Amino acid sequence: MEYLIGIDVGTSGTKTALFSRNGELVKSHTAQYPLYQPQNGYAEQEPADWWNAVCEGLCAVIAQSGVDKNDIVGIGLSGQMHGLVMLDENGEVLRRSIIWCDQRTAKECDQITQLCGADRLMAVTASPALTGFTASKILWVRNNEPQIYEKCRHILLPKDYIRYMLTGVFATDVSDASGMQLLDIAQRDWSDEILEKLSIPKAWLGKVFESCEVSGKVSESAAQLTSLAAGTPVAAGAGDNAAAAVGCGVVRDGRAFTTIGTSGVVFAHTSDMPVDEKGRIHTFCSAVPGAWHVMGVTQAAGLSLKWYKDNFCTEETHEAEKEAVDVYKILDEKAARIPVGCDRLLYLPYLMGERTPHLDPDARGVFFGLSAMHTRAHLLRAVMEGVTFSLRDCLEIFGQAGVNIDSMMACGGGGSSKLWRQMLADVFGCEVTTCVSNEGGALGAAILAAVGAGLYDSVEEACDAVIAVKGRQLPDDNNTKKYNEYYKMYGSLYPALRESFAALSEK
């Protein structure tokens, strides 16, 4: 029997999942770790926490499944994008990783634009300089922590640090590298031009692979720590959203998915390379060789709901513990009792600034329309609706870029909520489906590993064999009509508040 492992290095934890070659989940394990926010707008994590979580997860799934480690024919990697991991000449971590949602690099983005030129930057990297991307983080360390920068000899992304610890290889894949702002998106390799203009040594960056290629093999030292067999192939893998696309079969034109995890994403596969000149959506290399994808991002999607739960839902949390159920199930039940539009209450989900469509690190969360009649349940549903409106912003821009969507899938933590899926169907005005498997990025990583191991000839063939669809939710025409009116109001709020957000950031 042949088995595959998918490792997904997330923001709140790392999932390690063991699958059969047909994509059936055998065993999974998730290990959690903290997020550090030393200042407003900062977000950091310890790479050692990721590696410890991977070791814990691998040992757990192999031991608990009883699978012979020699029957594991491939490992795939997925993970949060954009995070900066800096290593010295000995491969030791120099500082905490500055991760994807960190917003400290506005000045560095201006510097990148000045050095590269806005038009040329878009032409090569398909994105404007953004605070979330890795290039601006590199410059921030150079500008603010020169003693750290001087010691740097290797730059990796989060999942690629795990690859290094597993194999000793410094490498990345085209999809994850696309979010560094150092890759030539059309040529699918590092841009010598951008690296030279930013004075970043190319030698610090790993080799770029297609996502389904084998990038290295498990080392003897890593085998001892993980219960894996030395020599097990490790596929290049993909950034979290590109891997999630593979994990739900979005590998052909016309297919799209929406995921509500910590961040929220609307993602569509395309054989062409459309570029939004305003930089409101991202065009990245796909995990499918020779293809691309477009992606819009809401910084604080599931994070908005988690923030609300953690700070205002102590009663529901205790109720869930007492009844031994998921607290989000109880939150769904309470939100479902509130009507569409929350009795004229709106929420802007900008807790961590915003990417699509505003590209504004200074934007912050807002409840608009509060009155004495509103309850905590109203605010709860408003959070869910506000996130859904922000995801529609992404879909609207896809249409303007000429990317047409035939089917939409829902995945991620929020996608497991029937209420939230119905909101997506109603707000998007289209059918929303889900996958039989909800393993997302971990399954996508395992599918890429299966192709790398030679079990399938292509990513598309592998997805055809592995992915199954369930649960079709159709839009309610009455709800869609109501949401369209609230969406217009939602869209008017950010322009009215933009200058106030900027002024607040200077206080």
Side-chain angles (χ1 to χ4, degrees), residues 448-479:
L448 294 170
V451 178
L455 302 186
Y456 301 97
D457 291 335
S458 69
V459 177
E460 295 94 329
E461 178 188 324
C463 287
D464 289 344
V466 169
I467 305 301
V469 175
K470 67 175 182 179
R472 288 178 166 82
Q473 289 180 259
L474 298 173
D476 181 304
D477 290 341
N478 289 329
N479 288 348

PDB file of all heavy atoms in Angstrom, residues 448-479:
ATOM      1  N   LEU A 448       0.266  16.882  -4.821  1.00  0.00           N
ATOM      2  CA  LEU A 448       1.492  17.292  -5.505  1.00  0.00           C
ATOM      3  C   LEU A 448       2.605  16.286  -5.270  1.00  0.00           C
ATOM      4  O   LEU A 448       3.390  15.982  -6.176  1.00  0.00           O
ATOM      5  CB  LEU A 448       1.906  18.688  -5.034  1.00  0.00           C
ATOM      6  CG  LEU A 448       0.947  19.825  -5.408  1.00  0.00           C
ATOM      7  CD1 LEU A 448       1.330  21.112  -4.687  1.00  0.00           C
ATOM      8  CD2 LEU A 448       0.922  20.052  -6.919  1.00  0.00           C
ATOM      9  N   ALA A 449       2.668  15.750  -4.050  1.00  0.00           N
ATOM     10  CA  ALA A 449       3.667  14.724  -3.743  1.00  0.00           C
ATOM     11  C   ALA A 449       3.399  13.457  -4.553  1.00  0.00           C
ATOM     12  O   ALA A 449       4.338  12.776  -4.994  1.00  0.00           O
ATOM     13  CB  ALA A 449       3.661  14.416  -2.247  1.00  0.00           C
ATOM     14  N   ALA A 450       2.116  13.131  -4.765  1.00  0.00           N
ATOM     15  CA  ALA A 450       1.768  11.944  -5.544  1.00  0.00           C
ATOM     16  C   ALA A 450       2.241  12.069  -6.985  1.00  0.00           C
ATOM     17  O   ALA A 450       2.741  11.107  -7.586  1.00  0.00           O
ATOM     18  CB  ALA A 450       0.252  11.729  -5.510  1.00  0.00           C
ATOM     19  N   VAL A 451       2.094  13.277  -7.554  1.00  0.00           N
ATOM     20  CA  VAL A 451       2.582  13.503  -8.916  1.00  0.00           C
ATOM     21  C   VAL A 451       4.107  13.416  -8.937  1.00  0.00           C
ATOM     22  O   VAL A 451       4.694  12.787  -9.834  1.00  0.00           O
ATOM     23  CB  VAL A 451       2.092  14.860  -9.452  1.00  0.00           C
ATOM     24  CG1 VAL A 451       2.637  15.112 -10.859  1.00  0.00           C
ATOM     25  CG2 VAL A 451       0.574  14.911  -9.471  1.00  0.00           C
ATOM     26  N   GLY A 452       4.754  14.029  -7.938  1.00  0.00           N
ATOM     27  CA  GLY A 452       6.208  13.957  -7.867  1.00  0.00           C
ATOM     28  C   GLY A 452       6.725  12.539  -7.724  1.00  0.00           C
ATOM     29  O   GLY A 452       7.783  12.182  -8.261  1.00  0.00           O
ATOM     30  N   ALA A 453       5.963  11.696  -7.033  1.00  0.00           N
ATOM     31  CA  ALA A 453       6.363  10.296  -6.823  1.00  0.00           C
ATOM     32  C   ALA A 453       6.035   9.417  -8.017  1.00  0.00           C
ATOM     33  O   ALA A 453       6.365   8.221  -8.018  1.00  0.00           O
ATOM     34  CB  ALA A 453       5.670   9.754  -5.573  1.00  0.00           C
ATOM     35  N   GLY A 454       5.366   9.981  -9.020  1.00  0.00           N
ATOM     36  CA  GLY A 454       5.053   9.228 -10.223  1.00  0.00           C
ATOM     37  C   GLY A 454       3.777   8.413 -10.154  1.00  0.00           C
ATOM     38  O   GLY A 454       3.512   7.591 -11.046  1.00  0.00           O
ATOM     39  N   LEU A 455       2.940   8.650  -9.136  1.00  0.00           N
ATOM     40  CA  LEU A 455       1.681   7.913  -9.039  1.00  0.00           C
ATOM     41  C   LEU A 455       0.671   8.408 -10.067  1.00  0.00           C
ATOM     42  O   LEU A 455      -0.226   7.659 -10.465  1.00  0.00           O
ATOM     43  CB  LEU A 455       1.096   8.046  -7.633  1.00  0.00           C
ATOM     44  CG  LEU A 455       1.975   7.578  -6.463  1.00  0.00           C
ATOM     45  CD1 LEU A 455       1.192   7.652  -5.162  1.00  0.00           C
ATOM     46  CD2 LEU A 455       2.482   6.159  -6.712  1.00  0.00           C
ATOM     47  N   TYR A 456       0.783   9.661 -10.471  1.00  0.00           N
ATOM     48  CA  TYR A 456      -0.072  10.249 -11.503  1.00  0.00           C
ATOM     49  C   TYR A 456       0.812  11.049 -12.454  1.00  0.00           C
ATOM     50  O   TYR A 456       1.874  11.542 -12.071  1.00  0.00           O
ATOM     51  CB  TYR A 456      -1.140  11.159 -10.886  1.00  0.00           C
ATOM     52  CG  TYR A 456      -2.050  10.459  -9.903  1.00  0.00           C
ATOM     53  CD1 TYR A 456      -1.797  10.527  -8.532  1.00  0.00           C
ATOM     54  CD2 TYR A 456      -3.144   9.720 -10.338  1.00  0.00           C
ATOM     55  CE1 TYR A 456      -2.619   9.878  -7.619  1.00  0.00           C
ATOM     56  CE2 TYR A 456      -3.977   9.076  -9.432  1.00  0.00           C
ATOM     57  CZ  TYR A 456      -3.704   9.159  -8.074  1.00  0.00           C
ATOM     58  OH  TYR A 456      -4.526   8.507  -7.181  1.00  0.00           O
ATOM     59  N   ASP A 457       0.337  11.203 -13.695  1.00  0.00           N
ATOM     60  CA  ASP A 457       1.146  11.887 -14.707  1.00  0.00           C
ATOM     61  C   ASP A 457       1.038  13.403 -14.647  1.00  0.00           C
ATOM     62  O   ASP A 457       1.896  14.106 -15.175  1.00  0.00           O
ATOM     63  CB  ASP A 457       0.743  11.410 -16.106  1.00  0.00           C
ATOM     64  CG  ASP A 457       1.152   9.961 -16.375  1.00  0.00           C
ATOM     65  OD1 ASP A 457       2.111   9.489 -15.735  1.00  0.00           O
ATOM     66  OD2 ASP A 457       0.491   9.312 -17.205  1.00  0.00           O
ATOM     67  N   SER A 458      -0.036  13.926 -14.040  1.00  0.00           N
ATOM     68  CA  SER A 458      -0.224  15.373 -13.987  1.00  0.00           C
ATOM     69  C   SER A 458      -1.065  15.733 -12.774  1.00  0.00           C
ATOM     70  O   SER A 458      -1.751  14.875 -12.190  1.00  0.00           O
ATOM     71  CB  SER A 458      -0.918  15.881 -15.261  1.00  0.00           C
ATOM     72  OG  SER A 458      -2.265  15.433 -15.300  1.00  0.00           O
ATOM     73  N   VAL A 459      -1.036  17.007 -12.426  1.00  0.00           N
ATOM     74  CA  VAL A 459      -1.850  17.487 -11.314  1.00  0.00           C
ATOM     75  C   VAL A 459      -3.326  17.335 -11.648  1.00  0.00           C
ATOM     76  O   VAL A 459      -4.129  16.923 -10.806  1.00  0.00           O
ATOM     77  CB  VAL A 459      -1.511  18.960 -10.991  1.00  0.00           C
ATOM     78  CG1 VAL A 459      -2.404  19.480  -9.878  1.00  0.00           C
ATOM     79  CG2 VAL A 459      -0.039  19.099 -10.608  1.00  0.00           C
ATOM     80  N   GLU A 460      -3.697  17.640 -12.893  1.00  0.00           N
ATOM     81  CA  GLU A 460      -5.101  17.512 -13.288  1.00  0.00           C
ATOM     82  C   GLU A 460      -5.573  16.064 -13.172  1.00  0.00           C
ATOM     83  O   GLU A 460      -6.678  15.798 -12.670  1.00  0.00           O
ATOM     84  CB  GLU A 460      -5.287  18.003 -14.732  1.00  0.00           C
ATOM     85  CG  GLU A 460      -5.005  19.489 -14.930  1.00  0.00           C
ATOM     86  CD  GLU A 460      -3.571  19.762 -15.372  1.00  0.00           C
ATOM     87  OE1 GLU A 460      -2.661  18.983 -14.988  1.00  0.00           O
ATOM     88  OE2 GLU A 460      -3.371  20.750 -16.096  1.00  0.00           O
ATOM     89  N   GLU A 461      -4.757  15.122 -13.641  1.00  0.00           N
ATOM     90  CA  GLU A 461      -5.125  13.708 -13.555  1.00  0.00           C
ATOM     91  C   GLU A 461      -5.273  13.277 -12.097  1.00  0.00           C
ATOM     92  O   GLU A 461      -6.222  12.551 -11.741  1.00  0.00           O
ATOM     93  CB  GLU A 461      -4.061  12.847 -14.242  1.00  0.00           C
ATOM     94  CG  GLU A 461      -4.339  11.348 -14.158  1.00  0.00           C
ATOM     95  CD  GLU A 461      -3.177  10.509 -14.662  1.00  0.00           C
ATOM     96  OE1 GLU A 461      -2.509  10.929 -15.624  1.00  0.00           O
ATOM     97  OE2 GLU A 461      -2.933   9.436 -14.074  1.00  0.00           O
ATOM     98  N   ALA A 462      -4.373  13.727 -11.260  1.00  0.00           N
ATOM     99  CA  ALA A 462      -4.443  13.370  -9.845  1.00  0.00           C
ATOM    100  C   ALA A 462      -5.715  13.904  -9.204  1.00  0.00           C
ATOM    101  O   ALA A 462      -6.388  13.202  -8.431  1.00  0.00           O
ATOM    102  CB  ALA A 462      -3.209  13.897  -9.111  1.00  0.00           C
ATOM    103  N   CYS A 463      -6.063  15.155  -9.523  1.00  0.00           N
ATOM    104  CA  CYS A 463      -7.284  15.737  -8.949  1.00  0.00           C
ATOM    105  C   CYS A 463      -8.532  15.005  -9.433  1.00  0.00           C
ATOM    106  O   CYS A 463      -9.474  14.784  -8.662  1.00  0.00           O
ATOM    107  CB  CYS A 463      -7.367  17.225  -9.290  1.00  0.00           C
ATOM    108  SG  CYS A 463      -6.199  18.254  -8.379  1.00  0.00           S
ATOM    109  N   ASP A 464      -8.554  14.612 -10.699  1.00  0.00           N
ATOM    110  CA  ASP A 464      -9.693  13.862 -11.225  1.00  0.00           C
ATOM    111  C   ASP A 464      -9.886  12.556 -10.459  1.00  0.00           C
ATOM    112  O   ASP A 464     -11.016  12.110 -10.227  1.00  0.00           O
ATOM    113  CB  ASP A 464      -9.509  13.560 -12.711  1.00  0.00           C
ATOM    114  CG  ASP A 464      -9.642  14.796 -13.589  1.00  0.00           C
ATOM    115  OD1 ASP A 464     -10.177  15.818 -13.102  1.00  0.00           O
ATOM    116  OD2 ASP A 464      -9.199  14.751 -14.751  1.00  0.00           O
ATOM    117  N   ALA A 465      -8.782  11.946 -10.051  1.00  0.00           N
ATOM    118  CA  ALA A 465      -8.848  10.663  -9.355  1.00  0.00           C
ATOM    119  C   ALA A 465      -9.203  10.815  -7.884  1.00  0.00           C
ATOM    120  O   ALA A 465      -9.798   9.903  -7.290  1.00  0.00           O
ATOM    121  CB  ALA A 465      -7.504   9.941  -9.491  1.00  0.00           C
ATOM    122  N   VAL A 466      -8.868  11.965  -7.292  1.00  0.00           N
ATOM    123  CA  VAL A 466      -8.932  12.105  -5.834  1.00  0.00           C
ATOM    124  C   VAL A 466     -10.108  12.953  -5.360  1.00  0.00           C
ATOM    125  O   VAL A 466     -10.738  12.641  -4.343  1.00  0.00           O
ATOM    126  CB  VAL A 466      -7.601  12.702  -5.317  1.00  0.00           C
ATOM    127  CG1 VAL A 466      -7.710  13.113  -3.856  1.00  0.00           C
ATOM    128  CG2 VAL A 466      -6.464  11.700  -5.516  1.00  0.00           C
ATOM    129  N   ILE A 467     -10.435  14.039  -6.069  1.00  0.00           N
ATOM    130  CA  ILE A 467     -11.379  15.040  -5.550  1.00  0.00           C
ATOM    131  C   ILE A 467     -12.826  14.651  -5.848  1.00  0.00           C
ATOM    132  O   ILE A 467     -13.179  14.316  -6.976  1.00  0.00           O
ATOM    133  CB  ILE A 467     -11.084  16.428  -6.161  1.00  0.00           C
ATOM    134  CG1 ILE A 467      -9.619  16.828  -5.914  1.00  0.00           C
ATOM    135  CG2 ILE A 467     -12.040  17.471  -5.583  1.00  0.00           C
ATOM    136  CD1 ILE A 467      -9.236  16.887  -4.463  1.00  0.00           C
ATOM    137  N   ALA A 468     -13.671  14.726  -4.829  1.00  0.00           N
ATOM    138  CA  ALA A 468     -15.106  14.501  -4.975  1.00  0.00           C
ATOM    139  C   ALA A 468     -15.853  15.688  -4.371  1.00  0.00           C
ATOM    140  O   ALA A 468     -15.408  16.282  -3.393  1.00  0.00           O
ATOM    141  CB  ALA A 468     -15.528  13.206  -4.285  1.00  0.00           C
ATOM    142  N   VAL A 469     -17.008  16.025  -4.981  1.00  0.00           N
ATOM    143  CA  VAL A 469     -17.778  17.205  -4.585  1.00  0.00           C
ATOM    144  C   VAL A 469     -19.050  16.789  -3.856  1.00  0.00           C
ATOM    145  O   VAL A 469     -19.652  15.760  -4.149  1.00  0.00           O
ATOM    146  CB  VAL A 469     -18.138  18.052  -5.826  1.00  0.00           C
ATOM    147  CG1 VAL A 469     -19.043  19.215  -5.466  1.00  0.00           C
ATOM    148  CG2 VAL A 469     -16.866  18.562  -6.497  1.00  0.00           C
ATOM    149  N   LYS A 470     -19.463  17.598  -2.896  1.00  0.00           N
ATOM    150  CA  LYS A 470     -20.730  17.363  -2.190  1.00  0.00           C
ATOM    151  C   LYS A 470     -21.386  18.712  -1.915  1.00  0.00           C
ATOM    152  O   LYS A 470     -20.768  19.768  -2.063  1.00  0.00           O
ATOM    153  CB  LYS A 470     -20.494  16.628  -0.867  1.00  0.00           C
ATOM    154  CG  LYS A 470     -19.736  17.464   0.164  1.00  0.00           C
ATOM    155  CD  LYS A 470     -19.631  16.755   1.498  1.00  0.00           C
ATOM    156  CE  LYS A 470     -18.906  17.646   2.527  1.00  0.00           C
ATOM    157  NZ  LYS A 470     -18.790  17.007   3.846  1.00  0.00           N
ATOM    158  N   GLY A 471     -22.643  18.675  -1.487  1.00  0.00           N
ATOM    159  CA  GLY A 471     -23.326  19.847  -0.943  1.00  0.00           C
ATOM    160  C   GLY A 471     -23.418  21.033  -1.866  1.00  0.00           C
ATOM    161  O   GLY A 471     -22.504  21.840  -1.920  1.00  0.00           O
ATOM    162  N   ARG A 472     -24.497  21.154  -2.591  1.00  0.00           N
ATOM    163  CA  ARG A 472     -24.715  22.327  -3.456  1.00  0.00           C
ATOM    164  C   ARG A 472     -25.715  23.260  -2.792  1.00  0.00           C
ATOM    165  O   ARG A 472     -26.831  22.851  -2.500  1.00  0.00           O
ATOM    166  CB  ARG A 472     -25.204  21.882  -4.829  1.00  0.00           C
ATOM    167  CG  ARG A 472     -24.123  21.209  -5.663  1.00  0.00           C
ATOM    168  CD  ARG A 472     -24.659  20.726  -7.005  1.00  0.00           C
ATOM    169  NE  ARG A 472     -23.568  20.395  -7.910  1.00  0.00           N
ATOM    170  CZ  ARG A 472     -22.904  19.247  -7.900  1.00  0.00           C
ATOM    171  NH1 ARG A 472     -23.234  18.316  -7.010  1.00  0.00           N
ATOM    172  NH2 ARG A 472     -21.926  19.020  -8.751  1.00  0.00           N
ATOM    173  N   GLN A 473     -25.299  24.508  -2.584  1.00  0.00           N
ATOM    174  CA  GLN A 473     -26.197  25.503  -1.990  1.00  0.00           C
ATOM    175  C   GLN A 473     -26.463  26.597  -3.016  1.00  0.00           C
ATOM    176  O   GLN A 473     -25.540  27.232  -3.534  1.00  0.00           O
ATOM    177  CB  GLN A 473     -25.584  26.079  -0.718  1.00  0.00           C
ATOM    178  CG  GLN A 473     -25.590  25.057   0.418  1.00  0.00           C
ATOM    179  CD  GLN A 473     -24.987  25.588   1.688  1.00  0.00           C
ATOM    180  OE1 GLN A 473     -23.852  25.296   2.013  1.00  0.00           O
ATOM    181  NE2 GLN A 473     -25.773  26.364   2.427  1.00  0.00           N
ATOM    182  N   LEU A 474     -27.756  26.775  -3.315  1.00  0.00           N
ATOM    183  CA  LEU A 474     -28.184  27.759  -4.310  1.00  0.00           C
ATOM    184  C   LEU A 474     -28.518  29.083  -3.639  1.00  0.00           C
ATOM    185  O   LEU A 474     -28.964  29.116  -2.486  1.00  0.00           O
ATOM    186  CB  LEU A 474     -29.392  27.232  -5.069  1.00  0.00           C
ATOM    187  CG  LEU A 474     -29.179  25.942  -5.864  1.00  0.00           C
ATOM    188  CD1 LEU A 474     -30.509  25.436  -6.416  1.00  0.00           C
ATOM    189  CD2 LEU A 474     -28.188  26.161  -6.990  1.00  0.00           C
ATOM    190  N   PRO A 475     -28.323  30.194  -4.338  1.00  0.00           N
ATOM    191  CA  PRO A 475     -28.677  31.491  -3.749  1.00  0.00           C
ATOM    192  C   PRO A 475     -30.179  31.645  -3.585  1.00  0.00           C
ATOM    193  O   PRO A 475     -30.954  31.169  -4.419  1.00  0.00           O
ATOM    194  CB  PRO A 475     -28.116  32.503  -4.749  1.00  0.00           C
ATOM    195  CG  PRO A 475     -28.046  31.761  -6.051  1.00  0.00           C
ATOM    196  CD  PRO A 475     -27.740  30.341  -5.693  1.00  0.00           C
ATOM    197  N   ASP A 476     -30.573  32.284  -2.514  1.00  0.00           N
ATOM    198  CA  ASP A 476     -31.972  32.657  -2.291  1.00  0.00           C
ATOM    199  C   ASP A 476     -32.167  34.031  -2.936  1.00  0.00           C
ATOM    200  O   ASP A 476     -31.542  35.015  -2.525  1.00  0.00           O
ATOM    201  CB  ASP A 476     -32.245  32.706  -0.789  1.00  0.00           C
ATOM    202  CG  ASP A 476     -33.676  33.071  -0.450  1.00  0.00           C
ATOM    203  OD1 ASP A 476     -34.143  34.145  -0.912  1.00  0.00           O
ATOM    204  OD2 ASP A 476     -34.314  32.336   0.302  1.00  0.00           O
ATOM    205  N   ASP A 477     -33.026  34.106  -3.930  1.00  0.00           N
ATOM    206  CA  ASP A 477     -33.180  35.346  -4.701  1.00  0.00           C
ATOM    207  C   ASP A 477     -33.572  36.531  -3.820  1.00  0.00           C
ATOM    208  O   ASP A 477     -33.090  37.657  -4.027  1.00  0.00           O
ATOM    209  CB  ASP A 477     -34.217  35.157  -5.812  1.00  0.00           C
ATOM    210  CG  ASP A 477     -33.727  34.230  -6.911  1.00  0.00           C
ATOM    211  OD1 ASP A 477     -32.502  34.038  -7.008  1.00  0.00           O
ATOM    212  OD2 ASP A 477     -34.567  33.707  -7.669  1.00  0.00           O
ATOM    213  N   ASN A 478     -34.426  36.287  -2.836  1.00  0.00           N
ATOM    214  CA  ASN A 478     -34.841  37.373  -1.942  1.00  0.00           C
ATOM    215  C   ASN A 478     -33.653  37.876  -1.118  1.00  0.00           C
ATOM    216  O   ASN A 478     -33.468  39.091  -0.949  1.00  0.00           O
ATOM    217  CB  ASN A 478     -35.961  36.906  -1.019  1.00  0.00           C
ATOM    218  CG  ASN A 478     -37.274  36.703  -1.757  1.00  0.00           C
ATOM    219  OD1 ASN A 478     -37.549  37.393  -2.747  1.00  0.00           O
ATOM    220  ND2 ASN A 478     -38.082  35.769  -1.295  1.00  0.00           N
ATOM    221  N   ASN A 479     -32.866  36.941  -0.603  1.00  0.00           N
ATOM    222  CA  ASN A 479     -31.688  37.341   0.167  1.00  0.00           C
ATOM    223  C   ASN A 479     -30.677  38.078  -0.703  1.00  0.00           C
ATOM    224  O   ASN A 479     -30.064  39.070  -0.275  1.00  0.00           O
ATOM    225  CB  ASN A 479     -31.028  36.121   0.807  1.00  0.00           C
ATOM    226  CG  ASN A 479     -31.825  35.552   1.964  1.00  0.00           C
ATOM    227  OD1 ASN A 479     -32.766  36.185   2.448  1.00  0.00           O
ATOM    228  ND2 ASN A 479     -31.463  34.363   2.402  1.00  0.00           N
TER     229      ASN A 479
END
